[in-house]
Amino acid sequence: MIIEPCTDVVCSIWSILNQGPMTLTIFLHTLIVLPMVWIYFDEKKRLERGDIPDE
Amino acid sequence: MDKKPSVWTSNRFWRRSATWVTGVSAVLLILLTFDTMAQMKMGTEEDIKNKIDRRIPSPVVINYKIDYQLNRRRGHEVPIIGGMDANGKSKYEEKEKFFGRDDWSEEEARALIHKGKLTIQAKNCMDCHTLLGNGAYYAPDLTKAWLDPTWDTLAPAYNGKEYAIKEFLKNPPAMAMHERKMPNLGITDEEAKAVVAYLKFMSAIDTNGFPRNFGKIKGAVDARK
């Protein structure tokens, strides 16, 4: 089974996400990195449009 | 010349990224703090009666037999309180006399364990030992000291494991077992009893399998040489 039932003493969202040695880490990094990709393309679009004022 | 602007040199991009990462990390840390607080909440006598597992059980666990067994699903040893059922979980049934009694009330047990904690602090055990991984690395970790098989071999001669540990604490050099000898810290009979209660209680804490073994620390250091 891909998603295994929680084996921790006190179950929480973190222990459910912690399916293996890397799963929690991968989940949290994805959560942080994916919006950064969006930020990158958003900034690129703005730069190309030239609507960024000089700092 | 290509005048295409680069996002990588844009201050705005880095500022937005940094704000996002800092913000998410802060929220995550707050959520994890609440999760940790839930994990660290001490169980009650009711939990033991209702056979509800808690990472930190009620002080009344000193009335029960505590074992340390490999849990295959979790991949490490877990404390088993009052016997193990077919699923490898604590049964909270098998009692064990602790200094002649197996009916310590929650208040009595808590008071005794608290006295043990104060003694451990007063005698600076962490100058040499670690408790739950905190302290100095000169002497063995005491988290699961109660479960150290050495005490089982000494138990019959002292009419019980708790008496053997108590006698050891009152005059460690007389019962030295490690190359690094523990000094006599002048621990009284009552204090030693309380420390044993503290150690027994601590051994029932689910520490995700920490520590892994009861090895002897080799290499005595003689400060007078």
Side-chain angles (χ1 to χ4, degrees):
Chain A
M1 224 158 63
I2 296 173
I3 305 291
E4 295 207 8
C6 166
T7 53
D8 210 340
V9 191
V10 181
C11 284
S12 72
I13 179 78
W14 312 108
S15 48
I16 293 161
L17 287 170
N18 201 13
Q19 296 277 320
M22 287 293 283
T23 47
L24 184 61
T25 302
I26 290 168
F27 175 81
L28 293 176
H29 279 78
T30 312
L31 191 78
I32 290 167
V33 170
L34 276 185
M36 283 174 72
V37 174
W38 175 81
I39 292 171
Y40 175 85
F41 285 107
D42 187 54
E43 284 298 317
K44 194 174 181 178
K45 207 166 66 193
R46 283 170 192 239
L47 278 171
E48 278 166 359
R49 273 208 312 261
D51 61 356
I52 305 263
D54 283 338
E55 300 227 355
Chain B
M1 203 175 112
D2 188 13
K3 289 282 278 178
K4 214 171 161 186
S6 165
V7 181
W8 301 112
T9 56
S10 151
N11 270 346
R12 272 177 53 93
F13 166 69
W14 290 109
R15 197 161 55 221
R16 283 179 76 184
S17 299
T19 309
W20 169 253
V21 172
T22 313
V24 170
S25 308
V27 171
L28 206 57
L29 283 174
I30 291 164
L31 292 174
L32 284 170
T33 303
F34 280 103
D35 183 62
T36 305
M37 278 159 67
Q39 300 267 355
M40 282 166 55
K41 198 163 176 284
M42 191 190 263
T44 60
E45 206 172 352
E46 281 299 301
D47 291 330
I48 288 194
K49 276 194 195 125
N50 299 326
K51 302 182 197 301
I52 297 170
D53 290 326
R54 292 277 176 224
R55 202 169 273 284
I56 303 173
S58 157
V60 294
V61 286
I62 62 169
N63 293 321
Y64 291 84
K65 185 178 184 294
I66 299 166
D67 214 348
Y68 205 35
Q69 295 287 341
L70 180 73
N71 182 314
R72 296 219 168 266
R73 269 171 65 82
R74 289 179 60 191
H76 50 67
E77 285 86 359
V78 294
I80 297 294
I81 302 160
M84 187 164 72
D85 67 13
N87 299 319
K89 292 189 76 178
S90 296
K91 278 203 293 194
Y92 302 100
E93 280 171 9
E94 216 174 309
K95 288 210 167 185
E96 178 186 78
K97 280 206 158 65
F98 186 72
F99 290 108
R101 289 176 57 191
D102 62 6
D103 59 350
W104 293 83
S105 72
E106 191 148 76
E107 291 72 33
E108 285 175 320
R110 189 184 277 263
L112 191 66
I113 290 163
H114 185 65
K115 189 182 163 76
K117 189 188 103 171
L118 294 179
T119 307
I120 280 171
Q121 288 171 336
K123 299 294 175 184
N124 265 331
C125 299
M126 278 161 112
D127 267 0
C128 296
H129 293 277
T130 42
L131 299 156
L132 295 165
N134 295 307
Y137 299 143
Y138 186 72
D141 187 277
L142 297 179
T143 315
K144 303 290 174 195
W146 168 262
L147 303 167
D148 192 322
T150 312
W151 301 118
D152 295 322
T153 59
L154 291 167
Y158 291 86
N159 289 323
K161 190 153 84 165
E162 66 273 36
Y163 293 101
I165 304 176
K166 190 181 78 169
E167 288 312 309
F168 169 76
L169 288 169
K170 281 160 66 184
N171 189 11
M175 276 170 78
M177 286 168 255
H178 287 248
E179 263 183 56
R180 296 182 184 178
K181 291 190 178 81
M182 179 168 157
N184 190 340
L185 299 165
I187 299 172
T188 66
D189 196 70
E190 278 302 300
E191 284 171 345
K193 193 174 160 183
V195 171
V196 179
Y198 185 86
L199 293 176
K200 183 168 183 182
F201 164 71
M202 199 163 51
S203 75
I205 298 175
D206 195 318
T207 52
N208 288 344
F210 173 85
R212 294 309 304 264
N213 51 43
F214 300 101
K216 293 257 185 264
I217 293 180
K218 291 218 167 72
V221 177
D222 191 340
R224 283 163 295 189
K225 269 182 191 165

